[in-house]
Each structure stands twice: as structure tokens, then as C-alpha cells.
Amino acid sequence: MKRKTRLICIFALLICFIIGGCASQTDEEKKIIKVGTNAEFPPFEYINDEGEVDGFDMAIMRAIGEEMGYEIDIVNMEFKSLAASLKTGALDAVAAGMTVTEERKQTVDFSNSYYGAVQSIVFKKDRAVNSLAELNGKKIAVQEGTTGDILVTPAEDNEVITDSSTEVKRFKKGADAIVELKNGGVDAVVIDSSPAHSFVAANQEDLTYLDLSDTEEFYAIAVGKGNQELLDDINEGLERIQNNGVFDQIVDQYINGNTVNVRQTSNNPIMQIIYDCKYVFIDTNGYQLLLQGLGVTIGISFAAVCLGIILGFVIALMKLTETRKKRKTVLSVIANIYINILRGTPVMVQLLIMYMIVFRSNMAYLAAILTFGINSGAYVAENIRAGIMAVDNGQMEGGRSLGFTYAQTMRYIILPQAIKNAFPALGNEFITLLKETSIVGYVAIQDLTKAADFIISRTYEAFYPLIAIAIIYFILVWGLTQLLAVVERRMRQSDLR
Amino acid sequence: MIYVKNLHKYFGGLEVLKGIDYHVKPGTCVVVIGPSGSGKSTFLRCLNRLEKPTKGSVVIDGVDIMDPKTDINQMRQKIGMVFQQFNLFPHKTVLENVTLAPIKLKRMEKGAAQQFAMDLLNRVGVGDKANNYPGQLSGGQKQRVAIARSLAMNPEALLFDEPTSALDPEMVGEVLDVMKKLAKDGMTMVVVTHEMGFAKEVADRVVFMDGGHIIEEGTPEEIFQSPKNDRLKTFLGKVSTK
């Protein structure tokens, strides 16, 4: 009987697979492929005015998806994490202006190349650079892990840059490298020609570039090693859009027709500040990014605080079983392990583990809320426990002598006083939590800090957006402080004498 | 009413109670006296199992509170306790201190509980402080509120653990007066105290404890006028018995 049931199950499964396989070939049920990119490489990938990932590569991927019946789900992350994410299966493909190199071929498979590029040196107009060799011994900024990085880093097989005193500053984003150049921190930036041209176009007044014609290389789409089926589909899609004219349209739209916002200038320094602010926050929609980011920061913080309070109470009470029974208990041991692990590892690491390993790069918001909530729970638990321990033992005896159970005494008598004791420390924890959420950008969440990041990479202005978010964070914390003070004053009413 | 049999209590290796046998009759006021460290407070706290006796039995109204099947919380509702440090709940008003247990444990209606609480507070003379917080009261007032709080559960007996020891001298009288009234009204009371005057005047029975034993027991006259035991004589010689 059992064997029969099992056979039927296997058959049913097989039928499901076959139907599923057929369905995926029709257009009705599109297969979703997760495409990773690093939206800091204009015009290939960047955040557009609506706050979405856009660019040449994205348009190419969407066009291929259209042709081949895939739905494209874009995931924005660090450039150097892309290859690793292909390996873990968190991503199906990478479209990030990735240059084909022998080294990368060891870990990923590349499609046919869709774009040829050279490297460019970007420098200030008043300090002309005529060849790559001139950069020996200078300070150079690059985007970490890119071809430019390899080109200027002194190494045994590097024939051009041989001076080991050459200082290479590696940035996560090309735009940050440009900002460094503008601030005078480096002498030049070496980066792919297309972004170099975009950057210079946006900073025509003081920057220019030199294309290094002997460094031609090719961009391609990467897939996980051995994923031949997807690779074939991408190559076929690429060929189709190159033949039907869609590809050329995309080139025209993104690379040739790259428009730049014009910014006003003035000799009056105050007017200049106003023009700069207008450009940074209004003309390029910076205020919208900041508002969205503010909402995300508040949302994540609030949800995490709520979760942290609930977990904190539970963990504190679990740990207190040790005090009550005067010996270790299963619950207190669990609580101790929880507290020690969460206080003993950086929240940044916890966030990456939660997002990349537990959630496999899905549901970043949930991963962030859980991470901060669980992390905060450990601190809240210790604060509440300290608050409980500070309540005089006579209170427990007073409650018990009236006939209250341990739990009732806790609830009606001890905890209300414990919370009052713990309140200043809890307030501290909430403020810390609010500010700590500024690292969620690492899992591709666009919070307040990330919003400033975007504005910097779009406007090459670091000053205004950073000061703006500093002020916003300060106002948030100040508001929270006032709120906590009001609540505390209310709780302290019974202290009147 | 309260039968204590062969009661032993160890704190670690230290034997604090070395076999106590005693019977508290209903409606009597028993005063326990003795030098510090004699075990009198521990004895009192064993009666409602705030301290868990190591051996022996405490039977109240025919129920052994040492029996694991006994609901100790139910039993404690019948035996009120007044502490040296008052142990009022500082986050609640005087009125809330008194009504909390009747409302939560006896499911008494809030209005009725408040009315009863006001009666009790007036009886102990702090009715005018009903809406104040404990932090705003004097020691004597606090202790009288604590007495009202334990009376609010309509207990069959009250335990007093050195109720006047933490008070300024001028406030001792007002608390003892309340206790005297209670005794006169027939409340069963066990009082650990150093107030020999109270023992002489109010107690029905006086118990002298030393070294974890009951050394002598009798009426106030027997204990104070004609003590038999040498240790009791020495003790009485040291304390003022006015």
C-alpha cells in the first residue's frame, strides 16, 4: 500500500515537472532571473530620478528578457560581491559592465561581449596627464576590483606602473573616486571610458580625460559557472536584439544621448550655495531620495525597536530564572548564549549573515528588521534585567505575602518599577539603534545614508548631502530624546515628594 | 489555628531553627522576643513560607503549608504580613496599594474595593493620604498603610516582622496603637518585636527564643515578673522593659 502511494507521488511530481517545464517555455509563466548589478557605474548602471536602478546594462537585460521570456529582477549590491553571489546562487546573472578577464573566467561564465571599452584617465584640467606611465609614484583613485584597479596597482606582471610608491586608493563607487579627485586627494582616476566620459561631462569646468586606446576590453554578462542553459538564452537574446535594432536604440538612448543637468554658477558665494543646494536637492530630485530614505530609516528602526522590546523582555525573564532558582536553568543558559553571541559579534556581520545566508539575498527589509530587532533584544534584555535587579527584594516579598504568584508580582509590581529603572538605558539603546540602521545600505536598502550616497554619486557633491543627512539624523534623535523625556517625566510622577 | 511541629531551618550549613513546636490559638496575640540572631524572624517567615522550612510542618486551619499539593498563594491570602521595611509599592498610590490585591486576587469590583480600602485607611488614620504616593509619607504613615494593605485581604491572621524597628521613635506609638486596636478586636497576631511595653500590655502569650529554640513561653506576667530561665533573665536585664 505504502509503496503504491509513493509511486503515485513520484508520478505526480514528474507530471508537475513536465507541465512546469512546458509552461516556462510559453510566455504565460515567465521565469524570473535575478540579475545583480552595482548601480554606481553610469551610464551602464545608476539610480535614476525615480530612485530605481537604470542604465544601459539594465535596458539590455530587460530587452533580452523580453525576447527570451524571462522576467528580470534587479538586485543592487557591491561590485566585488557580485561574482560570489553567482556562486552561492543568490544571483542568476550579473550585468554590471563587467570586463571579461582570464581571472574572472575561473569563477564565472561570460556571454558574448556586448560592448567594447577602453580605460580612461580622469584628471584636473590644470594638471595634464599624457600617459599612464606618468602616474608612477602618484596618488590614483580607482573603483575597487575593476580593470582600472588592476591596471594601476604595482605588481610583478605590471609593466607600466612599476614604482612601488604609487598610492592606489580603492573606492566602492566610481563617483567617490571622482569626488576624491575633485577634493585634491588624488592626482588621477583610472576608470572605464564610458563612466569616465559621463563623469567628465558632469564636471566640465574642472575635469578632463584621456582614453588609453591600448587597453581595449570587452563587457559581457556573467552567469554562474556551468549554467549553460541560461548562457545560451542570453547569447541568443543578445543576438536577436542586435539584429532587430533594439540594441542600437539602447546605445543611442543611454550612451550617445547622455544628458546632463546644467547647474547655475554665481560669483556671490551665498548665491552659489543656494544654486548648489538647488542643483543637489531639487534639480536632480535629491529631496525625493532623502524623503524615501527617511521613511525607510524610520520604518526599519521602529519595527526593530518593537521587536527588540518584545525579545528583550522574554530573554530577561528567561535569564532571571537563574536568580530565582539560584542555579542555572535551561532557559537561563539559552538566554546567556543569545546575549553573548549577539553582543559579541558586529551588527554589520549579523546583517550580512541574515541577508546573504539566512534569506539568500531575498527580502532585505525583513532581514534588516529581524537583524536589528534580534540584536537590540540582547541589549534590551540586559537593561531590563538590570532594572529588575535594582528593585528591592522586599517588593517581591510584599507581593508574595499578599498571595500574588511570582508571575503576578512580576507583572503588577516588579516590572512597572523595573521599566522605570531601565528607561534611561533603554532610551540610549533606541537612539543607538536608530543610528545603527545606517548600515542597511550594505544589503541594498535605500535608507537615509544610502540616499546621501546616491546623491553624491549623481551630483559629485559630498558636502551638501552629508550635512543634510547629519542634520536629519540629529533631528530624529533630538525628537526621540524629547519623546523619551516626556514619557520618563510621566513615569516619575510617583517620585514626587 | 497555627500548629508548628518540629520546625527546622538551615541556611547552608547553619541551623537557624532547631526544632520549634508551637500552637497559636485563634484570636490571640503572640509576641516573640529574643536577642538578634535567635531565629525569631526566620520562625515568623516560615509561617507563610517566605522562608521554606528544611524540615517539620506548619499546619494552618488543618492545611499543611509544607505539602507540595497546597496552593501556597491561596494560603498567603489568609495570612497577612507586615514588614520592618513596609514594602509598599512605590509606583502606586496609597489607595492603589491597598486595593491591588483585592481587585486582582479576589476579583473584587473596583468601587467596592476602594470603599473598603478607604474604611481601612480611616481605621488606621491615614484616610487623608489615599491619593498620595508612599514616597510622600512618613515612616509611621507608611507602616499604617502597610497594615491596611494586609487587612484588605480579610486575613485570618497577621504576622508582624519587627514593625516598628525602622521607625523614628516619635512614630512608634502611632503604629503600636493601631496594632493594639487590632488585638483588642480579636485578630490572631504573631508579632516579632523589641517593644517590651507592647508585649506586656497587649500580648496574650509571650515567646522567648534564643539559639533557634523556644526557651520559655507564658503570659506576659509569667515572662516579665517571674522569668525562670537564666538566658531570659539576662536578656530582660539588658533591654528596657518599660
Side-chain angles (χ1 to χ4, degrees), chain A residues 302-315:
Chain A
F302 182 75
V305 162
C306 293
L307 181 62
I309 291 174
I310 294 167
L311 282 173
F313 267 102
V314 173
I315 299 294

Side-chain angles (χ1 to χ4, degrees), chain A residues 227-484:
Chain A
N227 193 351
Q228 197 59 42
E229 192 189 350
L230 181 60
L231 196 63
D232 289 345
D233 279 355
I234 288 173
N235 279 333
E236 194 187 329
L238 205 52
E239 206 181 315
R240 283 197 209 168
I241 61 171
Q242 277 165 339
N243 291 336
N244 67 12
V246 172
F247 187 87
D248 291 337
Q249 278 173 23
I250 295 172
V251 172
D252 280 345
Q253 186 187 340
Y254 284 93
I255 296 180
N256 299 336
N258 207 5
T259 55
V260 177
N261 276 310
V262 185
R263 40 195 301 195
Q264 288 167 278
T265 52
S266 164
N267 290 328
N268 181 337
I270 292 172
M271 281 313 286
Q272 185 63 50
I273 290 174
I274 292 170
Y275 285 144
D276 283 348
C277 285
K278 181 169 171 285
Y279 173 73
V280 170
F281 296 118
I282 296 169
D283 293 348
T284 54
N285 267 348
Y287 77 96
Q288 248 177 18
L289 288 173
L290 287 179
L291 281 180
Q292 283 169 5
L294 177 63
V296 169
T297 291
I298 292 175
I300 289 179
S301 303
F302 182 75
V305 162
C306 293
L307 181 62
I309 291 174
I310 294 167
L311 282 173
F313 267 102
V314 173
I315 299 294
L317 291 175
M318 280 168 69
K319 192 164 173 181
L320 276 171
T321 55
E322 187 175 328
T323 317
R324 188 186 171 198
K325 306 244 164 166
K326 298 191 177 74
R327 61 176 166 80
K328 283 194 164 66
T329 63
V330 177
L331 289 178
S332 76
V333 169
I334 294 172
N336 272 324
I337 293 172
Y338 177 99
I339 290 169
N340 284 328
I341 289 179
L342 284 148
R343 289 200 311 190
T345 52
V347 66
M348 173 83 211
V349 175
Q350 293 165 12
L351 178 65
L352 291 177
I353 289 175
M354 181 67 86
Y355 176 65
M356 292 189 173
I357 298 174
V358 179
F359 280 86
R360 301 190 66 84
S361 301
N362 288 307
M363 296 186 279
Y365 286 92
L366 186 61
I369 289 169
L370 284 179
T371 304
F372 285 106
I374 290 171
N375 179 275
S376 180
Y379 292 90
V380 170
E382 285 298 80
N383 289 341
I384 289 177
R385 196 176 66 92
I388 290 173
M389 304 289 270
V391 175
D392 182 61
N393 193 37
Q395 293 292 308
M396 180 55 85
E397 293 195 340
R400 296 306 302 269
S401 77
L402 286 168
F404 285 111
T405 62
Y406 177 83
Q408 285 170 325
T409 313
M410 266 290 163
R411 185 173 149 205
Y412 298 124
I413 296 159
I414 308 290
L415 281 181
Q417 298 180 57
I419 291 168
K420 198 166 79 175
N421 292 338
F423 201 74
L426 285 177
N428 241 341
E429 166 57 22
F430 299 153
I431 287 169
T432 308
L433 175 68
L434 176 73
K435 291 183 294 181
E436 260 181 357
T437 60
S438 60
I439 61 168
V440 294
Y442 277 91
V443 296
I445 294 175
Q446 299 179 20
D447 75 322
L448 199 50
T449 304
K450 194 74 184 174
D453 240 18
F454 285 149
I455 296 175
I456 295 170
S457 59
R458 287 165 47 166
T459 62
Y460 313 102
E461 281 286 358
F463 181 80
Y464 297 103
L466 288 179
I467 295 295
I469 63 161
I471 292 171
I472 295 172
Y473 274 116
F474 179 80
I475 292 171
L476 279 180
V477 170
W478 184 80
L480 186 59
T481 311
Q482 297 305 110
L483 188 72
L484 292 171

Side-chain angles (χ1 to χ4, degrees), chain A residues 392-406 408 411-414 416-417 420 493-497, chain B residues 45 48 50 72-74 76-77 79-81 83 87-92 100-101 104-105 133 135-136 149-150 153:
Chain A
D392 182 61
N393 193 37
Q395 293 292 308
M396 180 55 85
E397 293 195 340
R400 296 306 302 269
S401 77
L402 286 168
F404 285 111
T405 62
Y406 177 83
Q408 285 170 325
R411 185 173 149 205
Y412 298 124
I413 296 159
I414 308 290
Q417 298 180 57
K420 198 166 79 175
Q493 262 174 359
S494 62
D495 290 356
L496 295 174
R497 264 156 224 273
Chain B
R45 289 158 60 81
N48 68 351
L50 273 189
I72 188 64
N73 299 310
Q74 203 69 41
R76 282 182 185 143
Q77 295 186 20
I79 318 158
M81 186 155 191
F83 299 86
N87 295 348
L88 292 180
F89 309 136
H91 60 302
K92 295 194 174 294
L100 182 70
K104 299 290 181 196
L105 294 175
Y133 284 97
Q136 298 163 309
R149 183 175 73 178
S150 42
M153 291 300 282

